Amino acid sequence: MKLVWSPECASKAFIDTVKSCELYHESGVAELISAMAAGWNAKLIVETWSHGGLIPTSVGLAIAAGHTSGRHVCIVPDERSRSAYASAVSSAAGGGDDDISTEILVGAPEEVMPELEGIDFLVVDGTRRDFARVLRLAKLSHRGAVLVCKNAEAKTASLRWRAVIDGGKYRVVRTAFLPVGQGLDIAHVAASGGSSSSSSSKSGKGKWIKHVDRSSGEEHVIRTT
């Protein structure tokens, strides 16, 4: 089986994230990522977060997990970050929204990644020193996965996904860089030996996500297959 796109689920997650994150100035990234995770019907959504990081993306991913009946897991480096993260998510959820449910794992990537098998949507922060290590250690789903590196500024936009993906188990199908927020570097990964992307391109069919940055008014469109 492969990841299958659901535009209806993507739309619902997008709208719900807009409602939850309307008070945040950086919510545009959250809305887009939430729609992507829900649209791909991700069952295990994993992200990294550290003290001082923005919370809207986490809210959006938790909402997406609610729409896919999946798990949203956040990896934090220490107890200080865990406490800050839990407090921020609770505040964003208004003190107890059942749609906001997140598992928090504390520790280094080597300690926590082995507990997470079958990841099909992974979000890492390009400003964290261990983001490449998280990608290398990730146990991705046999259905394939979508990998997102946020805060991918110009100096990190050249992230070489193939350098951090185990070529023996997975292969990079395609990549895209979106000038949303501080930059999003995205890769669609498939299990090695699976059907290639050529069949999708031959069919001429694809899915499009339209995102309008509410701060700048700029419109961004990404094509998925």
Side-chain angles (χ1 to χ4, degrees):
M1 295 178 62
K2 298 188 298 181
L3 290 175
V4 179
W5 179 259
S6 170
E8 180 180 0
C9 199
S11 297
K12 289 180 179 178
F14 184 94
I15 293 172
D16 287 348
T17 304
V18 168
K19 293 177 180 178
S20 295
C21 298
E22 60 185 354
L23 298 180
Y24 292 94
H25 296 298
E26 298 292 335
S27 61
V29 172
E31 295 152 3
L32 178 58
I33 293 180
S34 176
M36 290 177 61
W40 284 115
N41 195 31
K43 298 301 182 182
L44 179 52
I45 302 171
V46 178
E47 67 165 325
T48 60
W49 191 88
S50 56
H51 191 273
L54 297 174
I55 211 66
T57 297
S58 296
V59 174
L61 291 176
I63 289 174
H67 282 285
T68 65
S69 298
R71 294 171 60 197
H72 171 226
V73 180
C74 182
I75 300 173
V76 298
D78 49 44
E79 286 297 329
R80 177 169 176 260
S81 293
R82 185 203 63 76
S83 178
Y85 180 86
S87 176
V89 169
S90 177
S91 176
D97 189 333
D98 291 335
D99 291 331
I100 307 293
S101 179
T102 301
E103 301 172 39
I104 306 175
L105 296 181
V106 181
E110 292 83 358
E111 298 172 331
V112 297
M113 293 307 286
E115 301 180 33
L116 303 170
E117 188 166 357
I119 299 171
D120 40 23
F121 201 90
L122 176 62
V123 180
V124 297
D125 189 339
T127 62
R128 282 185 51 157
R129 295 180 180 179
D130 62 355
F131 79 95
R133 196 159 76 253
V134 171
L135 291 169
R136 292 192 185 97
L137 293 170
K139 296 181 178 181
L140 305 180
S141 169
H142 64 278
R143 299 190 305 153
V146 175
L147 312 178
V148 179
C149 180
K150 63 181 182 178
N151 295 321
E153 299 178 355
K155 61 181 180 181
T156 58
S158 60
L159 173 67
R160 299 180 183 276
W161 291 104
R162 291 173 180 79
V164 295
I165 296 299
D166 184 350
K169 296 181 180 179
Y170 313 105
R171 59 186 175 80
V172 177
V173 177
R174 58 175 41 81
T175 64
F177 178 79
L178 299 180
V180 181
Q182 296 300 314
L184 294 177
D185 209 354
I186 305 168
H188 179 200
V189 176
S192 293
S195 59
S196 67
S197 59
S198 59
S199 60
S200 297
S201 59
K202 289 180 180 179
S203 67
K205 296 180 179 180
K207 307 298 181 183
W208 296 86
I209 300 176
K210 180 188 293 185
H211 172 261
V212 178
D213 190 313
R214 292 181 296 168
S215 298
S216 64
E218 295 180 342
E219 180 178 289
H220 306 288
V221 180
I222 178 173
R223 185 176 188 273
T224 62
T225 59

